[in-house]
């Protein structure tokens, strides 16, 4: 007898629930498995989550989406990176770009040559060698061109979109491919007395919903994975202490910027995400250091224009489920864990979890080694992102508030200490496994926040000085020419994908 999964039941219709529904409806041959999604409009969704990283373009391609239609229907803009303001020290700003700086030379990454060059030429600004940063600052955007060796061919981008329109878009996609949506609040969960597996969900109406594989996308509450299966939670708030947010949209005051801004505040930071027709704003803060009222007042004071929505307060605890997959329940999205939104990684973590689930898709035996492998890889991925986020707080010289003194002085995971030491001593950067943030990202944040290595790779010294100067000037000149040729971000949107 086949032990194949016959029915997948997804609990939750937020971004996570509808993303996984859309992906499964695309990847699993239609008719071979039932897919049902249960959600409760009265409970609602978190309603935030508007900035993404470039990997989302792979997800869109996997679904076979028309990108212009996607941008129009989600009120989206394009994103070339994140600007960090006041992080390393007050008054400073830098961009973490989604593309490379310069070019590799002599088999070495560009930043080694930049360090050598800058040691002689103090005013050499690394931004001049990075087209995405120049374009972001100039408010320009275009998709990559097919011109090998040109920086225009490697433009890498993500999107900034309306979270509720995105979930709706995913829902339309999934429903058109056979996913059945059931409205209702789950009030009871039945576990199998012997195996402890989830057998049925019972709705307020009395209706029961069964399934072989349950995907818990119920948000922070983790209704199945935690409230019923008690998978446990690794709490990382001692390293990432922000634990609340207040979000609020405001009117647009001009052309949308092709980047997200994260401005450090006295006890956290504030996001600014420009969409086509409005701006998403939020203040992420630590409640030990600032009250909700003061956090909202600070957000209101920093809006560029009148608010157009009521403040939405959210509470969270940074960390990850100890067993994101337990028995026949796989948790995704906020039910699996939460890493604060500083680098816009949550939607990406949903996407990679879906890919991992497909790679380790179970049958009804739920073979433990398969589940264990999935869990190990998930935890590794969260730890890698966690370290990258902690870097933003640890690599600061700010000491103007108790919050900044705490994060500057806190002990950090050994894995991050090692990375910071390697860079400080030798400018060496590395990417573990297939981790989401590569050397360019680590360089951008370390350099942007004022870390300067004692030395750089010795091979960088083998290039004659005048050759290095010529190459650096040429790289800068090529970038400036490319920038001149690019359309404005608004012009690009107007031409290809203006929202209705
Ligand atoms: C302050 C903040 C800012 C963020 N910014 C970003 C960002 O810029 N980029 C990014 O990638 N991510 C961001 N995120 C994360 C992003 O919002 C989430 O990853 C994403 O929205 C997924 O949420 P979810 O679907 O897991 O949960 P939710 O949106 O909470 O959805 C939960 C679903 O479960 C349903 N449900 C719950 N209980 C029951 C029940 N008993 N019966 C029936 N249905 C039930 C609800 O109705 C809802 O449909 C941010 C998160 C926060 C908190």
């Amino acid at each position: 007898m086949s032990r194949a999964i016959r029915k997948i039941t997804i609990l939750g219709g937020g971004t996570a629930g509808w993303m996984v529904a859309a992906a499964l409806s695309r990847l699993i041959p239609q008719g071979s498995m039932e897919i049902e999604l249960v959600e409760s409009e009265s409970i609602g969704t978190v309603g935030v989550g508007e900035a993404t990283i470039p990997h989302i373009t792979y997800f869109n391609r996997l679904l076979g989406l028309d990108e212009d239609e996607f941008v129009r229907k989600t009120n989206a803009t394009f994103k070339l990176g994140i600007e960090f303001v006041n992080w390393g020290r007050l008054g400073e700003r830098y961009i973490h770009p989604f593309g490379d700086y310069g070019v590799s030379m002599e088999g070495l990454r560009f930043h080694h040559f930049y360090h050598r060059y800058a040691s002689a030429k103090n005013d050499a600004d690394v931004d001049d060698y990075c087209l995405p940063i120049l374009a972001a600052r100039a408010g320009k955007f275009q998709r990559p061109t097919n011109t090998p060796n040109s920086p225009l061919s490697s433009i890498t981008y993500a999107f900034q979109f309306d979270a509720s329109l995105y979930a709706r878009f995913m829902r339309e996609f999934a429903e058109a491919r056979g996913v059945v949506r059931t409205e209702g609040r789950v009030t009871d969960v039945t576990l199998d007395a012997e195996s402890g597996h989830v057998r049925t969900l019972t709705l307020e109406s009395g209706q029961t919903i069964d399934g072989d594989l349950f995907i818990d996308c119920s948000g922070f509450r983790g209704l199945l994975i935690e409230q019923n299966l008690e998978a446990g939670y690794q709490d990382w708030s001692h390293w990432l202490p922000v634990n609340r947010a207040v979000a609020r949209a405001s009117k647009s005051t001009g052309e949308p910027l092709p980047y997200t801004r994260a401005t450090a505040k006295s006890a956290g930071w504030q996001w600014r995400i420009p969409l086509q027709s409005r701006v998403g704003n939020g203040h992420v803060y630590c409640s030990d250091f600032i009250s909700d009222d003061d956090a909202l007042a600070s957000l209101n004071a920093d809006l560029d224009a009148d608010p157009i929505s009521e403040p939405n307060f959210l509470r969270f605890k940074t960390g990850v489920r100890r067993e994101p997959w337990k028995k026949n329940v796989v948790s995704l999205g906020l039910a699996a864990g939460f890493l604060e939104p500083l680098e816009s990684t949550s939607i990406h973590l949903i996407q990679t979890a879906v890919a991992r689930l497909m790679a380790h898709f179970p049958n009804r035996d739920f073979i433990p080694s398969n589940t264990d492998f999935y869990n190990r890889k998930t935890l590794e991925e969260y730890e890698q992102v966690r370290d990258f986020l902690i870097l933003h707080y640890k690599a600061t010289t700010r000491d103007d508030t108790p919050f900044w003194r705490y994060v500057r002085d806190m002990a950090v995971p050994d894995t991050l200490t090692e990375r910071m030491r390697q860079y400080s001593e030798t400018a060496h950067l590395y990417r573990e496994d297939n981790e989401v943030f590569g050397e360019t990202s680590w360089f951008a944040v370390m350099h942007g926040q004022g870390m300067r290595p004692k030395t750089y790779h010795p091979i960088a010294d083998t290039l004659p000085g005048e050759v290095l100067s010529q190459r650096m000037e040429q790289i800068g000149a090529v970038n400036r020419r490319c920038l001149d040729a690019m359309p404005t971000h608004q012009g690009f949107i107007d031409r290809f994908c203006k929202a209705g």
Side-chain angles (χ1 to χ4, degrees), residues 67 104 124 464 476:
E67 193 174 280
S104 296

Side-chain angles (χ1 to χ4, degrees), residues 214-244:
F214 287 82
I215 303 189
D216 186 351
C217 299
S218 63
F220 287 125
R221 52 180 66 73
L223 184 67
L224 305 181
I225 196 75
E226 194 57 51
Q227 292 184 12
N228 283 277
L229 297 187
E230 299 177 354
Y233 197 72
Q234 280 192 39
D235 179 352
W236 289 334
S237 46
H238 50 298
W239 287 317
L240 291 166
V242 296
N243 56 4
R244 295 200 186 173

Side-chain angles (χ1 to χ4, degrees), residues 11-17 38-41 43-52 184-187 203 217-221 223 245 271 273 284 314 316 332-335 338 341 344-348 350:
L11 171 60
T15 305
V38 190
E39 67 173 317
S40 158
E41 269 181 23
I43 294 178
T45 65
V46 294
V48 284
E50 306 199 313
T52 59
R185 180 188 283 257
V186 173
T187 49
L203 305 185
C217 299
S218 63
F220 287 125
R221 52 180 66 73
L223 184 67
W271 79 73
I273 304 177
V284 183
L314 299 136
F316 52 83
L332 292 186
L334 301 173
F338 184 61
S344 326
T345 40
S346 293
I347 291 173
H348 171 74
I350 297 170

Side-chain angles (χ1 to χ4, degrees), residues 384 415 419 430-437:
Q384 287 161 350
T415 38
R419 242 193 248 257
Y430 51 92
R431 183 179 206 154
E432 294 282 10
D433 295 331
N434 207 13
E435 72 179 304
V436 55
F437 293 109

Side-chain angles (χ1 to χ4, degrees), residues 141-209:
F141 176 77
Q142 72 175 57
R143 295 197 179 101
T145 54
N146 189 11
T147 42
N149 299 328
S150 163
L152 289 172
S153 67
S154 55
I155 291 175
T156 309
Y157 60 92
F159 308 99
Q160 309 171 119
F161 52 55
D162 180 321
S164 53
L165 294 181
Y166 182 64
R168 194 185 302 164
F169 190 82
M170 289 293 123
R171 174 177 164 184
E172 277 170 19
F173 183 97
E175 287 189 311
R177 283 160 187 77
V179 173
V180 173
R181 174 186 182 274
T182 300
E183 167 64 34
R185 180 188 283 257
V186 173
T187 49
D188 196 26
V189 176
T190 309
L191 303 184
D192 185 277
E194 210 175 299
S195 66
H197 284 212
V198 171
R199 284 293 161 241
T200 55
L201 311 180
T202 306
L203 305 185
E204 219 164 18
S205 62
Q207 181 187 351
T208 58
I209 295 170

